[in-house]
Amino acid sequence: MINSMAAKHAVWPKEDDAIFGLAAKAQQAIKKYGKDKVIDSTLGALADDDGNLICMKAVYDELKSMPNENIAAYALVAGQPDYLDAVQEACFKEYRPEAYIKAVATPGGTGSVRHTIYNYTNSGDSVLVSDWYWKPYVTISEEYGRKVDFYNLFNDKNEFNIKSFRESFEKLLNKQKRLVAIINSPAQNPTGYSLSDDEWKQVIDLMVENAKDKENRIILLVDAAYIDFAGKGNERRKFFKQFSNLPENILVVIGYSLSKGYTMYGMRLGAAIGISSSKDIAEEFYYSCAHSNRANWSNCNRGAMEVMTRISNDPKKSEAYEAEKAIYKNMLHKRAEAFVKASEDAGLEILPYRDGFFVSIPCDNAKAISDKLMEDNLFLIPLKKGLRFAVCAVSEEKCKKAPKMIKSIMDNIQKEK
Amino acid sequence: MINSMAAKHAVWPKEDDAIFGLAAKAQQAIKKYGKDKVIDSTLGALADDDGNLICMKAVYDELKSMPNENIAAYALVAGQPDYLDAVQEACFKEYRPEAYIKAVATPGGTGSVRHTIYNYTNSGDSVLVSDWYWKPYVTISEEYGRKVDFYNLFNDKNEFNIKSFRESFEKLLNKQKRLVAIINSPAQNPTGYSLSDDEWKQVIDLMVENAKDKENRIILLVDAAYIDFAGKGNERRKFFKQFSNLPENILVVIGYSLSKGYTMYGMRLGAAIGISSSKDIAEEFYYSCAHSNRANWSNCNRGAMEVMTRISNDPKKSEAYEAEKAIYKNMLHKRAEAFVKASEDAGLEILPYRDGFFVSIPCDNAKAISDKLMEDNLFLIPLKKGLRFAVCAVSEEKCKKAPKMIKSIMDNIQKEK
């Protein structure tokens, strides 16, 4: 009997994705009890008040009216040049940093995280991630024999914990002389936190200070997957300007995704955008990512690039797209507001929500609470440090109800102990 | 001045893809001289006689009439279950081997090659590839610090060189105790060669012989990207049956792609299909690939999966799709036949063509010949060991003309020496 054929580094537990498993259970409950009886807050995608996935008309009308050859043809390995321009424009808007900037197309934001971790760390290095985090940061790191170190995202005032970030950052950098630090902002998954511009300044001051040692290689990965649903207007993009004229041994990579902003989750398109004061470093980034593209998925979804470019380059289409997005941004804002308010009313402690698809509830026994809530037909995602509630997927009305239900189960479990 | 930020393993030459560069030059020539004056044989995609990309109506009508949510939604990490069934059916047809078989969705065939190389070799290992080869095998291997060893694809009778394959295979396996060997058949890129069923038997006998040492781990990657344009009916699938009931320390992986068979190049969908006599090994393969999916691109193009599944599961749609494909398969066959015949007439030596998109011409000075041919407005791809002519992209009429043009330039360059 042969037990294993894979190389050691590629043997993983035979486990299926937990989130999709819970989502499937929620769907079963909906079939059994009806939509109005179930709160399905599992998946990170915008749904209307009936729980149907929102697909932006501006996006899908464009896709479906395009000539077939714009979907069928291979894209260039690094991405179509007009897409790479348009995606930078979409990311930075009026806050483009003064720097050399090069973009490469990736499948969603995931690809950009993969490129940054694999290409900018060595085997055995640790990547720096906050203690509330998107799980694939760990999946990507472990795939490549990298470790993950965690800093505390919040201090006791529920602000960005620059002290904890600094300690972990300097400890790892001094040891490795090279560090990839990930900040998922604005609209962090799973907490909904966004660093303030002043908090960003503290992060950058810390990086600049540590860049004085020219042997240090500092790579900041800003995962901005949810930026298109953050803040009023473009206020949550202001911090990009702070990436202007940084020392050459600081490389900033923006992980940008079209999944949320264009409701293109299943089409798999995003970009890795590298920002450097050095032309050479920006080009090294581009060719490093292009090589990785060729070596992993070859090239990205051509039709998705074309849709995005066509909308961006046509003022009328662009206006229609922005107007449509504004409706959903407003809907999301109202839902989150309702959830935050109802949490206050119910005495449910939540983490500081600013923007985006999720709210998090800190607690010790997330799995037990989640299991109990399922009996009440409320489905959410248990994490190590708490529960994630997807306001993106739940109507305002249900967002008002959920906190009380969660609080009640938490109190019961507390009493039983 | 900082010269580099990337980790050493991720620094690559600042070079753009050569094929797309030549394709761009061909397009310029078409603009300048007109379509009828230019033979553009650069890109590996089916084009009609006017050089326009062929997009199958059955495929794009389905895509464009589908509900948006079937395109917008995330797919499951390993792929939608109905797609994973349909893709196995499409790959094997009536020649499904008797074995445990598990499939995972990948972006095109590239992703399946990536998974097999990364997950089934160790750092520093050599992968076995034929001397006529698709370049990304090397790009993928070098991305991950793997080396490539080459066997001679042909013996002096222009048959599959089992002797050379055996020598390299046993040398590497004895050294590494683990080997990924790649055979790109049927319809090899770039030669158009397909192993006969008897040649496959020789390969399998060799593997079984070496599997007697239970410490050996033998992984055969069959890159079948062009299978949908190979042979009459399903004759080029017969060899799959030979993968039945193999020893447990042989894992066969089929790299299947929808790029060519569905003219979905830009949509990036394929599958890695693992075949083993052991249920455990097949499951290990599945979870290893699923982990890699999550860690690289998260999940694959949902709309592409839906299109494929809907066509497969509806007899009428399936029939329309097969009928449409048969037209293009026939068109391709006639072009290749014309090229082979014209080569004979012109005394141009070509490698043994059996099926698929490309024909190869062995020669020593491919780059110089290609440069000269560009002056005559004939564009093809220079490789290390010869020239690749894409019959998929060139009309039958032009396929009749090209061999004489190539032969004439080759003779001239020979004379000048």
Side-chain angles (χ1 to χ4, degrees), chain A residues 1-7 9-17 20 44 53 55 60 63-64 66-69 71-77 107 110-111 114 118-122 134 136 139-140 142-144 146 178 214 217-219 248-251 259-260 263-268 280-281 283-284 286-288 291-292 294-302, chain B residues 1-7 9-17 20 44 53 55 60 63-64 66-69 71-77 107 110-111 114 118-122 134 136 139-140 142-144 146 178 214 217-219 248-251 259-260 263-268 280-281 283-284 286-288 291-292 294-302:
Chain A
M1 274 281 289
I2 307 292
N3 290 318
S4 174
M5 285 291 287
H9 64 266
V11 180
W12 298 107
K14 296 182 176 178
E15 281 168 7
D16 293 308
D17 191 277
F20 287 105
L53 186 71
C55 312
Y60 290 95
L63 177 71
K64 289 184 168 177
M66 261 178 6
N68 292 338
E69 55 264 36
I71 306 170
Y74 283 120
L76 292 176
V77 168
T110 304
R114 183 255 167 233
Y118 184 70
N119 290 337
Y120 287 89
T121 64
N122 288 308
W134 184 54
T139 315
I140 295 168
E142 69 185 11
E143 169 91 0
Y144 292 115
R146 274 65 169 167
R178 146 181 315 280
K214 292 296 163 198
R217 297 283 179 274
I218 299 168
I219 298 95
E248 292 189 349
N249 53 341
I250 299 175
L251 171 72
S259 294
K260 290 85 187 176
T263 62
M264 269 191 194
Y265 319 91
M267 293 179 77
R268 315 308 305 134
D280 280 353
I281 300 295
E283 282 184 355
E284 181 188 65
Y286 174 86
Y287 286 101
S288 183
H291 191 281
S292 290
R294 192 59 166 136
N296 286 284
W297 47 76
S298 197
N299 51 86
C300 290
N301 187 324
R302 173 68 173 267
Chain B
M1 274 279 290
I2 308 293
N3 288 319
S4 174
M5 286 292 286
H9 64 267
V11 179
W12 298 106
K14 296 182 176 178
E15 281 168 8
D16 293 309
D17 190 276
F20 287 106
L53 187 71
C55 312
Y60 290 95
L63 177 72
K64 288 183 168 176
M66 262 178 6
N68 293 337
E69 55 265 38
I71 304 170
Y74 284 119
L76 293 176
V77 168
T110 305
R114 184 256 167 232
Y118 183 70
N119 290 338
Y120 287 89
T121 64
N122 287 309
W134 185 53
T139 314
I140 295 167
E142 70 185 10
E143 169 91 0
Y144 292 115
R146 273 66 168 166
R178 142 177 320 278
K214 291 296 163 200
R217 296 285 178 272
I218 298 169
I219 297 96
E248 292 189 349
N249 54 341
I250 298 176
L251 171 71
S259 294
K260 289 86 186 177
T263 62
M264 270 191 192
Y265 319 91
M267 294 179 78
R268 316 306 307 134
D280 281 353
I281 299 295
E283 281 183 357
E284 180 188 67
Y286 175 85
Y287 285 101
S288 183
H291 191 281
S292 290
R294 192 61 166 132
N296 286 284
W297 48 76
S298 199
N299 51 86
C300 290
N301 188 325
R302 173 68 173 266

Side-chain angles (χ1 to χ4, degrees), chain B residues 206-267:
Chain B
L206 167 64
M207 293 199 303
V208 170
E209 197 185 310
N210 281 278
K212 283 177 190 158
D213 177 348
K214 291 296 163 200
E215 296 306 305
N216 283 340
R217 296 285 178 272
I218 298 169
I219 297 96
L220 172 70
L221 171 58
V222 181
D223 182 348
Y226 295 88
I227 198 167
D228 285 318
F229 285 98
K232 281 178 194 145
N234 296 327
E235 61 173 351
R236 292 291 193 225
R237 288 171 156 89
K238 259 189 201 165
F239 74 100
F240 285 138
K241 268 285 183 197
Q242 299 193 42
F243 301 139
S244 302
N245 306 311
L246 294 177
E248 292 189 349
N249 54 341
I250 298 176
L251 171 71
V252 179
V253 181
I254 313 293
Y256 186 76
S257 172
L258 271 64
S259 294
K260 289 86 186 177
Y262 291 77
T263 62
M264 270 191 192
Y265 319 91
M267 294 179 78

Side-chain angles (χ1 to χ4, degrees), chain B residues 232-370:
Chain B
K232 281 178 194 145
N234 296 327
E235 61 173 351
R236 292 291 193 225
R237 288 171 156 89
K238 259 189 201 165
F239 74 100
F240 285 138
K241 268 285 183 197
Q242 299 193 42
F243 301 139
S244 302
N245 306 311
L246 294 177
E248 292 189 349
N249 54 341
I250 298 176
L251 171 71
V252 179
V253 181
I254 313 293
Y256 186 76
S257 172
L258 271 64
S259 294
K260 289 86 186 177
Y262 291 77
T263 62
M264 270 191 192
Y265 319 91
M267 294 179 78
R268 316 306 307 134
L269 187 62
I273 307 175
I275 304 170
S276 173
S277 297
S278 155
K279 194 173 180 231
D280 281 353
I281 299 295
E283 281 183 357
E284 180 188 67
F285 170 82
Y286 175 85
Y287 285 101
S288 183
C289 290
H291 191 281
S292 290
N293 272 9
R294 192 61 166 132
N296 286 284
W297 48 76
S298 199
N299 51 86
C300 290
N301 188 325
R302 173 68 173 266
M305 285 184 219
E306 292 279 346
V307 168
M308 197 275 188
T309 307
R310 281 158 182 258
I311 291 174
S312 298
N313 293 347
D314 181 322
K316 266 198 187 160
K317 288 177 182 174
S318 190
E319 204 178 304
Y321 159 76
E322 292 293 347
E324 194 181 356
K325 191 170 62 180
I327 294 169
Y328 298 126
K329 205 170 158 180
N330 186 46
M331 176 194 80
L332 183 66
H333 182 71
K334 281 190 174 168
R335 289 177 180 178
E337 212 171 40
F339 191 93
V340 171
K341 172 77 168 53
S343 297
E344 272 175 33
D345 293 348
L348 178 71
E349 186 197 346
I350 61 172
L351 292 173
Y353 175 89
R354 297 287 178 271
D355 303 286
F357 280 26
F358 308 107
V359 179
S360 281
I361 300 140
C363 59
D364 286 333
N365 33 19
K367 179 77 175 57
I369 298 170
S370 162

Side-chain angles (χ1 to χ4, degrees), chain B residues 21-81:
Chain B
L22 285 168
K25 279 189 188 172
Q27 287 307 310
Q28 284 163 15
I30 287 169
K31 270 190 191 153
K32 197 165 169 189
Y33 302 105
K35 270 183 182 178
D36 54 321
K37 300 281 188 298
V38 177
I39 301 180
D40 176 8
S41 155
T42 52
L43 283 184
L46 273 182
D48 66 18
D49 287 351
D50 287 330
N52 302 311
L53 187 71
I54 290 168
C55 312
M56 291 178 74
K57 195 172 142 49
V59 168
Y60 290 95
D61 283 359
E62 191 61 39
L63 177 72
K64 288 183 168 176
S65 63
M66 262 178 6
N68 293 337
E69 55 265 38
N70 290 325
I71 304 170
Y74 284 119
L76 293 176
V77 168
Q80 298 305 95

Side-chain angles (χ1 to χ4, degrees), chain A residues 215-330:
Chain A
E215 296 305 306
N216 283 340
R217 297 283 179 274
I218 299 168
I219 298 95
L220 173 69
L221 171 58
V222 181
D223 182 348
Y226 295 88
I227 198 166
D228 286 318
F229 285 97
K232 282 179 192 141
N234 296 326
E235 61 174 350
R236 292 288 193 227
R237 287 172 156 87
K238 258 189 200 164
F239 74 100
F240 286 138
K241 268 286 183 197
Q242 298 192 45
F243 300 139
S244 303
N245 305 311
L246 294 177
E248 292 189 349
N249 53 341
I250 299 175
L251 171 72
V252 179
V253 181
I254 313 295
Y256 186 77
S257 172
L258 271 62
S259 294
K260 290 85 187 176
Y262 289 77
T263 62
M264 269 191 194
Y265 319 91
M267 293 179 77
R268 315 308 305 134
L269 188 63
I273 307 176
I275 304 170
S276 172
S277 297
S278 154
K279 194 174 180 229
D280 280 353
I281 300 295
E283 282 184 355
E284 181 188 65
F285 169 82
Y286 174 86
Y287 286 101
S288 183
C289 290
H291 191 281
S292 290
N293 272 8
R294 192 59 166 136
N296 286 284
W297 47 76
S298 197
N299 51 86
C300 290
N301 187 324
R302 173 68 173 267
M305 287 185 216
E306 293 278 346
V307 168
M308 197 275 186
T309 307
R310 280 158 183 259
I311 291 174
S312 298
N313 294 346
D314 180 323
K316 269 199 185 159
K317 288 177 182 173
S318 191
E319 205 179 301
Y321 160 75
E322 292 294 346
E324 194 180 356
K325 190 170 62 181
I327 294 169
Y328 298 125
K329 205 168 156 179
N330 186 46

Side-chain angles (χ1 to χ4, degrees), chain A residues 85-240:
Chain A
D85 287 342
V87 80
Q88 291 180 41
E89 187 73 24
C91 177
F92 298 125
K93 304 276 186 184
E94 65 267 39
Y95 299 109
R96 185 183 174 92
E98 281 146 50
Y100 292 97
I101 301 179
K102 293 286 275 181
V104 171
T106 56
T110 304
S112 63
V113 178
R114 183 255 167 233
H115 283 357
T116 308
I117 290 178
Y118 184 70
N119 290 337
Y120 287 89
T121 64
N122 288 308
S123 184
D125 279 359
S126 290
V127 173
L128 185 56
V129 169
S130 63
D131 57 348
W132 290 89
Y133 65 97
W134 184 54
K135 208 178 154 199
Y137 297 144
V138 173
T139 315
I140 295 168
S141 299
E142 69 185 11
E143 169 91 0
Y144 292 115
R146 274 65 169 167
K147 285 171 281 189
V148 175
D149 256 39
F150 299 99
Y151 64 95
N152 299 323
L153 181 56
F154 298 113
N155 62 22
D156 50 18
K157 291 179 196 157
N158 265 349
E159 297 158 343
F160 180 74
N161 195 332
I162 186 72
K163 187 164 168 285
S164 174
F165 183 75
R166 174 189 294 273
E167 279 170 15
S168 300
F169 184 97
E170 292 182 343
K171 186 193 76 187
L172 288 177
L173 186 61
N174 288 338
K175 188 175 142 207
Q176 302 174 173
K177 304 305 284 178
R178 146 181 315 280
L179 178 61
V180 169
I182 304 181
I183 294 185
N184 176 201
S185 183
Q188 204 236 14
N189 175 3
T191 66
Y193 193 68
S194 303
L195 272 70
S196 69
D197 292 340
D198 187 58
E199 287 169 336
W200 271 116
K201 187 174 178 309
Q202 293 173 43
V203 170
I204 287 161
D205 286 349
L206 167 64
M207 293 200 301
V208 170
E209 199 183 309
N210 281 278
K212 282 178 191 157
D213 177 347
K214 292 296 163 198
E215 296 305 306
N216 283 340
R217 297 283 179 274
I218 299 168
I219 298 95
L220 173 69
L221 171 58
V222 181
D223 182 348
Y226 295 88
I227 198 166
D228 286 318
F229 285 97
K232 282 179 192 141
N234 296 326
E235 61 174 350
R236 292 288 193 227
R237 287 172 156 87
K238 258 189 200 164
F239 74 100
F240 286 138

